[in-house]
Amino acid sequence: MKHRCAHYALPLLVGLPLTALADVPRVAVDIPPVHSLVAKVMGDRGSPELFIQPGASPHGYSLRPSEADALDNADLVVWVSNDLTPWLSGPVENLAGDARHLELMRVSDINTFAYREGATFDVADHDHDHDHDHDHDHDHDHDHDHDHDHGHDHAHHHDGQDPHGWMDPDNARRWLDAIAQQLGELDPENADYYRKNATSSQQQLEAFEQAIAERLASSDSTRFIVFHDAYQYFEKAFNVSAAGAISIGDASSPSPARIEAIQTLVNDEGIQCVFSEPQFNPQIVESVFGDTDAYIGVMDPLGVDLTPGPELYDALLNQMADEIQHCTNAM
């Protein structure tokens, strides 16, 4: 009887497509926008797993046991960079030592920028900062290797590359290629499937980027204050300009001198808008803008209020464009 049962089970296996028999790579990712890009490439084959809670700041974090398990079980770990999550290098090495590692800010031919200096970003800084802001030249992958004396405000991992590169859709398109390459090597039977998903996602993203650029065409002179300096990749991709940041890049509390510099800027230039972030204390924003008629919006670089999945990345860019349009209309 055992032999007959096995015999009858065979047609069921033969009837399944070969792809269904291959193990889906287990992918652990750091933040929702990266999760979204990986989900676009994985498609129906499976879902990546976030190992940082969506509402948390990635700049400092302690892994929960379930998140440590996600790293421990991963075949592939995809994260932005050690500059964004310096605390992560230990857990990745210790828990996911046998996994493949894809550090997105080290992918070749992406746009990289150095952190901006000081609390305020003047127009001259926007026009020729590091000589490649507007032409998106690709010969600066190693900006982070140069030493910059950024003063005491930039003591917390701010002497080099700004890691918030996911807000440039051009980078996201290049990352889709890198993700498909890694998945295809782990799961060769489905390599073509991952490649097709990456290509179609790139085409959709390009059309979406053009639509946002058209929406923001009238916002090129809009001046706004951001909570922390996390948006220059978006600004340079869409030709909009933050005037300054309340806090430094890792969102630590700003010094009194920094707050005073921002308040002076707001008063001198009549800046109408400030954007807080859901992860951080809104009282800091109120301390700067509390007595003004400024439009106080929310700009979230991580998409914490959005539903995780393949649509989140586009929704994140859309949300940011909406806020800048509101700012333009408020002025």
Side-chain angles (χ1 to χ4, degrees), residues 6 70 99 124 145 148 157 161 194 199 202 264 266-267 274 284-285 293 304 319 321-322:
D145 294 336
H148 299 278
H157 303 283
Q161 190 187 75
Y194 299 132
T199 301
Q202 287 167 329
T264 301
V266 169
N267 293 331
V274 61
I284 298 175
V285 172
D293 296 329
V304 297
Q319 203 173 61
D322 284 347

Side-chain angles (χ1 to χ4, degrees), residues 29 31 63 73 91 97 172 192 212-214 217 264 284 295 324 327-328:
V29 300
I31 59 173
L63 291 175
N73 294 324
D192 286 347
I212 290 183
E214 288 169 13
T264 301
I284 298 175
Y295 167 72
I324 292 172
C327 180
T328 302

Side-chain angles (χ1 to χ4, degrees), residues 117-306:
E117 300 180 30
T120 63
F121 317 138
D122 60 32
V123 175
D125 181 51
H126 181 72
D127 286 342
H128 57 72
D129 179 27
H130 301 287
D131 299 327
H132 54 255
D133 290 358
H134 286 292
D135 61 13
H136 269 41
D137 114 44
H138 295 303
D139 296 326
H140 47 270
D141 294 314
H142 301 292
D143 278 1
H144 57 287
D145 294 336
H146 299 296
D147 290 327
H148 299 278
D149 180 12
H150 283 193
H152 67 278
D153 246 348
H154 290 260
H156 306 283
H157 303 283
H158 291 275
D159 304 5
Q161 190 187 75
D162 179 344
H164 300 87
W166 64 90
M167 279 178 274
D168 181 344
D170 192 37
N171 285 352
R173 282 193 293 274
R174 292 173 187 275
W175 292 348
L176 288 166
D177 279 334
I179 292 162
Q181 175 78 22
Q182 292 289 334
L183 288 171
E185 289 174 12
L186 284 166
D187 183 9
E189 291 176 12
N190 292 286
D192 286 347
Y193 175 76
Y194 299 132
R195 168 65 43 217
K196 286 174 185 171
N197 286 349
T199 301
S200 63
S201 295
Q202 287 167 329
Q203 292 167 346
Q204 291 164 6
L205 192 51
E206 191 164 7
F208 183 64
E209 180 182 6
Q210 289 173 348
I212 290 183
E214 288 169 13
R215 282 174 55 198
L216 294 180
S218 61
S219 298
D220 58 344
S221 60
T222 300
R223 302 284 274 156
F224 51 91
I225 300 291
V226 293
F227 184 80
H228 84 289
D229 185 14
Y231 304 95
Q232 66 172 323
Y233 289 90
F234 184 90
E235 294 169 47
K236 286 158 185 167
F238 296 106
N239 196 30
V240 294
S241 310
I246 294 172
S247 186
I248 59 177
D250 64 359
S252 59
S253 295
S255 65
R258 191 179 181 93
I259 288 177
E260 187 178 349
I262 291 288
Q263 287 173 327
T264 301
L265 178 71
V266 169
N267 293 331
D268 289 354
E269 297 203 16
I271 289 168
Q272 299 276 313
C273 308
V274 61
F275 297 113
S276 64
E277 291 180 27
Q279 299 96 321
F280 303 113
N281 188 344
Q283 290 178 339
I284 298 175
V285 172
E286 289 163 16
S287 72
V288 179
F289 281 83
D291 298 332
T292 72
D293 296 329
Y295 167 72
I296 299 179
V298 177
M299 198 177 278
D300 174 19
L302 298 174
V304 297
D305 294 328
L306 301 172

Side-chain angles (χ1 to χ4, degrees), residues 36-154:
S36 180
L37 295 174
V38 176
K40 286 176 187 288
V41 179
M42 291 187 79
D44 296 333
R45 286 282 296 140
S47 299
E49 200 165 342
L50 277 167
F51 61 82
I52 299 177
Q53 287 300 301
S57 166
H59 295 289
Y61 191 71
S62 296
L63 291 175
R64 299 178 183 184
S66 61
E67 294 155 2
D69 285 345
L71 275 179
D72 198 22
N73 294 324
D75 299 308
L76 171 64
V77 181
V78 185
W79 80 104
V80 175
S81 81
N82 280 336
D83 291 320
L84 185 74
T85 51
W87 57 270
L88 185 57
S89 55
V92 166
E93 288 303 323
N94 296 334
L95 295 170
D98 295 333
R100 287 171 173 258
H101 297 170
L102 177 58
E103 186 176 355
L104 295 174
M105 290 304 289
R106 291 188 177 275
V107 170
S108 62
D109 290 336
I110 63 167
N111 302 313
T112 62
F113 302 110
Y115 269 110
R116 295 179 279 202
E117 300 180 30
T120 63
F121 317 138
D122 60 32
V123 175
D125 181 51
H126 181 72
D127 286 342
H128 57 72
D129 179 27
H130 301 287
D131 299 327
H132 54 255
D133 290 358
H134 286 292
D135 61 13
H136 269 41
D137 114 44
H138 295 303
D139 296 326
H140 47 270
D141 294 314
H142 301 292
D143 278 1
H144 57 287
D145 294 336
H146 299 296
D147 290 327
H148 299 278
D149 180 12
H150 283 193
H152 67 278
D153 246 348
H154 290 260

